[in-house]
Every structure is written in structure tokens, then in C-alpha cells.
Amino acid sequence: MIKTDIKISSHGYEAYFRSDLGGNCYRLYHAPTQSELLRTPKDEDELFGEIYLFGNPILFPCNRIRGGEFTFEGRKYSFPINEPSTSCHIHGALYKTPFEVKDLKNDRVSFVFEAKSGEYLGFPHDFEIERTYELNENGLRETVRVTNLSRENMPFMLAFHTTLNVPFSIGSSAYNCTLKLPVVREQLRDENYLPTLEYEYGRERDRALCDGSYKISAQSVSALYEISAPSAEIYDAKSKTSLIYEGDGTYRYRMLWRRDGADFVVIEPQTCAIDCFHLEKSAEENGLVIVKPSETVSLSTRFSIKS
């Protein structure tokens, strides 16, 4: 069995969390429609065998950093190379870092992590990250608040490796499910999954994502898209229900990933482009969030079921 740390419930939704794994919501159930929104592990072995692929793991810094290094405001930042095959740093370590439970009610929970300069992967800032989840009739809303406790501007790049069940309706099939995602263009990548500075749009997959006819069961996919609106919708034609995963405007990108035959799809809301410091435009133009000293920046996402 999977270890249950925290549970909250409201308006037919039940949400389960792991404070020891970055405040990950590893199960979200909607009783009125019998919907399991998030991919949930069967036991601890399965969870730690594919830790990225359950619930909504938090990624900071998100995706890949070429050589594990970048320069920001004249300062050099270095992260450990944890993907040797590509010579990159990938995804940070918050997803496997214990968070403290700051507040807990029947329909609400907050998790918090604080680090001094150098304590978190050598990151040279004092900072705090808080994840607050709230359940109501509109689903599960998550607010991430990052506070810069240092004396210099802090670069912030956030994503979630959110893994959604396909199908999410009990008794249905992936063949009944289509995805709608308002994509603008795809950021092409090389053999190391780093940007080539080339973009594509207008292919059959892009058009199908925009009009909501993209069949999730059709093929494997790995693509980073710029988006025009921060909402993704999976529609199940058998149950006539939709799983909505939306974010605020800070999440300008979505990483779409699925392997052949998988009973899930990964739809990552991401604030910035992959390796945003090494592209043709400035990192800020590519989505970098800059947090000023003593400033708190808030970002939000929401899961819901629509019948």
C-alpha cells in the first residue's frame, strides 16, 4: 500500500498528499463522477520506481539546464549534473524534499520548505516555498508562493510533472479520450532534449490539440509548447465528462509527454522555456520569473471535473 500522509475533502473531491515528497498530491478523486484525476501508485516500490510519474511533483529549477550552469545578473549559478547522458541538470530536487505541514483543515492544507543560501543544491539564495491546496465546488486549487529572503534578485523557474490518468473515468478507455490544448508553437529540441532555436506549428497534431480532437491513445509524444491560454482539457466521450487542468498566466508553456501504451499523459505547466538562459532572447523574455528581495510571488493552478 501507499503511505498516506495528509487527506482533505470537500464537495465530492478527496485529495491525498505526501509531505515527505515535496507536498505532492498523489491522488485526487471525484466521487460524484467516479473520476481518478491523477495517476496514483499502487505501493511504495512503484512510487519510487517512477517518482516523476505520479501526482504533481514540483520541479525547481524546471526541466533541463545545459551543463548545469547559467549566469544571471552577472552571477554564475551551478547545479549538479544529475543527467549524465545529456550533461544537464534536470528538475531540481524539491519533488523528493520533505516539506513541513504549516496548516491543515478539512478542506485545506499548506506545506512549506525554507532553505538558507547554498543549502538547496548550492542555490545561492535564502528562500521559502509554500504549497497551499484548497478544495471547493470548483475543484482543487494550488497556490505556490515563493519568497526571496536574500538581498539580491532571485531567478525562479517552476513546473509540475503532473501525470493525469487516461482514462480518468472508471470503466472507460483511453480510446474515448481527447485532449484540447491551445498551442502556439512547439520549441524543437535536439538529441539531448535541449532547444535547437527552431520552432514548428501547423502540423496535424498542433491543429488537433487546438480544436480538441487530439486522441491521446494515438501515439507517444514528447513536445514543449508555447500556449495561448493556460488551460488543458481531457474529454471522455463515454462518461461525457472533462478533466480540466488550468493555470494562471505565469505558466506560458506546457510540456506534453506520453510513452506508447501508457495509461496516463503528462501535461506540465511550466513558467519558462527549457534552458531559458541559453536561448536567443533574454531569460525573462523566455519566461523567467524574477523575485526581488523580500518579495513574495504567487502562482496558481486548478484541477476540476466538468460534466
Side-chain angles (χ1 to χ4, degrees):
M1 295 179 62
I2 185 70
K3 172 186 170 184
T4 299
D5 193 357
I6 300 292
K7 175 187 175 183
I8 61 175
S9 59
S10 180
H11 291 80
Y13 288 95
E14 299 175 4
Y16 300 76
F17 305 90
R18 290 286 294 255
S19 63
D20 61 329
L21 297 177
N24 184 8
C25 179
Y26 69 88
R27 184 187 179 204
L28 180 58
Y29 177 64
H30 185 243
T33 58
Q34 292 189 297
S35 298
E36 290 279 3
L37 286 72
L38 294 169
R39 185 175 187 237
T40 301
K42 297 181 181 67
D43 53 37
E44 297 287 293
D45 288 341
E46 186 177 43
L47 170 62
F48 286 98
E50 290 189 313
I51 196 168
Y52 289 138
L53 296 178
F54 297 103
N56 68 331
I58 186 170
L59 310 181
F60 167 64
C62 59
N63 221 296
R64 288 170 174 80
I65 298 173
R66 188 186 311 261
E69 296 182 344
F70 62 83
T71 300
F72 171 70
E73 295 187 345
R75 302 185 297 274
K76 185 176 180 179
Y77 291 70
S78 297
F79 292 89
I81 301 298
N82 56 2
E83 192 178 60
S85 62
T86 64
S87 297
C88 290
H89 176 81
I90 182 170
H91 291 336
L94 279 189
Y95 65 90
K96 59 182 180 181
T97 298
F99 278 46
E100 293 184 10
V101 179
K102 180 179 178 181
D103 181 48
L104 176 61
K105 297 182 174 61
N106 290 337
D107 59 355
R108 183 180 186 277
V109 62
S110 291
F111 303 95
V112 66
F113 170 75
E114 184 174 333
K116 298 295 184 183
S117 176
E119 288 181 348
Y120 176 71
L121 301 177
F123 190 60
H125 294 274
D126 297 357
F127 71 97
E128 179 184 273
I129 290 183
E130 181 178 337
R131 303 183 75 177
T132 299
Y133 297 90
E134 299 173 274
L135 277 175
N136 57 33
E137 67 275 11
N138 296 316
L140 179 68
R141 175 187 173 94
E142 178 183 2
T143 302
V144 173
R145 296 179 180 86
V146 55
T147 302
N148 181 2
L149 302 174
S150 69
R151 297 181 179 180
E152 298 171 313
N153 287 342
M154 172 179 148
F156 188 62
M157 310 85 85
L158 180 68
F160 298 96
H161 209 279
T162 306
T163 308
L164 302 171
N165 275 326
V166 181
F168 59 88
S169 297
I170 295 175
S172 189
S173 162
Y175 294 96
N176 300 319
C177 297
T178 52
L179 171 63
K180 185 174 185 178
L181 187 65
V183 301
V184 175
R185 60 179 183 173
E186 180 186 351
Q187 183 187 54
L188 300 184
R189 294 169 295 155
D190 62 19
E191 66 278 3
N192 290 326
Y193 307 102
L194 291 167
T196 64
L197 308 184
E198 298 175 301
Y199 301 86
E200 279 195 10
Y201 177 73
R203 294 162 299 175
E204 182 180 354
R205 182 178 70 201
D206 307 331
R207 295 192 299 270
L209 284 168
C210 284
D211 66 25
S213 64
Y214 178 77
K215 290 190 174 296
I216 300 174
S217 63
Q219 58 191 9
S220 61
V221 62
S222 177
L224 180 78
Y225 281 104
E226 295 178 16
I227 55 174
S228 60
S231 179
E233 177 179 359
I234 301 175
Y235 177 68
D236 188 314
K238 181 177 180 180
S239 64
K240 294 183 171 57
T241 55
S242 291
L243 190 170
I244 311 295
Y245 185 32
E246 56 191 328
D248 65 31
T250 314
Y251 297 101
R252 292 169 42 187
Y253 301 82
R254 289 271 182 158
M255 184 73 203
L256 179 63
W257 185 83
R258 180 180 178 271
R259 63 189 177 208
D260 279 331
D263 58 355
F264 62 84
V265 63
V266 178
I267 308 178
E268 302 179 42
Q270 191 164 304
T271 58
C272 60
I274 295 171
D275 199 33
C276 67
F277 291 93
H278 300 118
L279 303 181
E280 69 272 31
K281 295 181 180 179
S282 70
E284 194 169 2
E285 289 177 290
N286 287 299
L288 176 70
V289 176
I290 298 176
V291 189
K292 299 176 182 178
S294 302
E295 181 183 27
T296 297
V297 172
S298 296
L299 308 90
S300 65
T301 55
R302 185 190 300 275
F303 301 95
S304 61
I305 289 290
K306 181 176 69 175
S307 298

